[in-house]
Amino acid sequence: LWTLSNIAAGTRAQIQAVLDANVFPRVIHFLTEGEFIHRKEAVWVVSNAVHGGSREQVRYIVSLECIPALCQMLIAADQRVVSAALEAIVFILTVGKHDAAGVGVNRSAVQVEEANGMQFLTAMASDPHSEHSTKAGKILDVFFESEVDAHTNHGVDASQRAF
């Protein structure tokens, strides 16, 4: 998995080579059912691939049901893993928001909601001791604004939020 995460951090052609090798279903299996050490590495593979991937590549990865497992990783004790999961979710939601322009619904946002991701993000955003509170609040504001009270600042001034 470590090697795959390095390849997935490469170019879109390298990401496509990983996808073409049909190893991503196994990566998602490790992300959802593996021991923590494997889940951690799988988060990095997904995060790197969606960060550098094309919209089509991101859509394919999402189609493998990675969102629920990424949401579960938001409560991991390893803050680097939480950060990688947050980054992956941001890129996935961004592609979903782009796709929603035609259909009106960000399907990825719906999947995050169904996986209790909003609850995890809200708790993270409200925790002044969380190093990820600003990013979690920004995700809620940008991708779930209709779901979140516009007057709630999640413990952080909205002008201080940036991805």
Side-chain angles (χ1 to χ4, degrees):
L1 288 170
W2 180 82
T3 301
L4 287 176
S5 73
N6 285 333
I7 297 168
T11 65
R12 287 185 177 173
Q14 290 168 318
I15 294 167
Q16 190 60 50
V18 172
L19 297 177
D20 290 344
N22 202 31
V23 296
F24 243 87
R26 189 77 175 139
V27 169
I28 302 305
H29 173 78
F30 279 119
L31 181 61
T32 58
E33 298 180 29
E35 294 180 33
F36 181 76
I37 192 161
H38 298 124
R39 292 176 68 209
K40 175 175 81 167
E41 291 300 328
V43 166
W44 285 105
V45 177
V46 173
S47 185
N48 288 342
V50 300
H51 178 264
S54 68
R55 277 183 267 184
E56 294 77 24
Q57 291 167 330
V58 172
R59 283 187 209 107
Y60 171 73
I61 294 166
V62 169
S63 77
L64 298 173
E65 302 294 323
C66 67
I67 291 175
L70 287 171
C71 288
Q72 287 300 313
M73 296 304 281
L74 294 176
I75 57 173
D78 184 330
Q79 294 305 299
R80 291 184 59 215
V81 171
V82 172
S83 182
L86 279 170
E87 289 296 324
I89 289 169
V90 167
F91 288 109
I92 288 168
L93 289 171
T94 300
V95 170
K97 188 172 186 174
H98 178 269
D99 292 348
V103 295
V105 173
N106 184 334
R107 292 183 185 116
S108 294
V110 171
Q111 289 181 37
V112 169
E113 289 180 56
E114 291 172 349
N116 297 320
M118 277 189 60
Q119 290 175 345
F120 299 143
L121 290 167
T122 300
M124 193 181 297
S126 300
D127 181 357
H129 303 293
S130 170
E131 65 184 78
H132 304 294
S133 63
T134 301
K135 179 168 282 216
K138 181 73 171 173
I139 292 169
L140 290 168
D141 290 345
V142 171
F143 299 105
F144 300 98
E145 63 184 297
S146 65
E147 303 290 330
V148 178
D149 180 5
H151 300 290
T152 303
N153 69 7
H154 311 291
V156 179
D157 181 340
S159 66
Q160 297 174 350
R161 294 196 183 124
F163 283 121

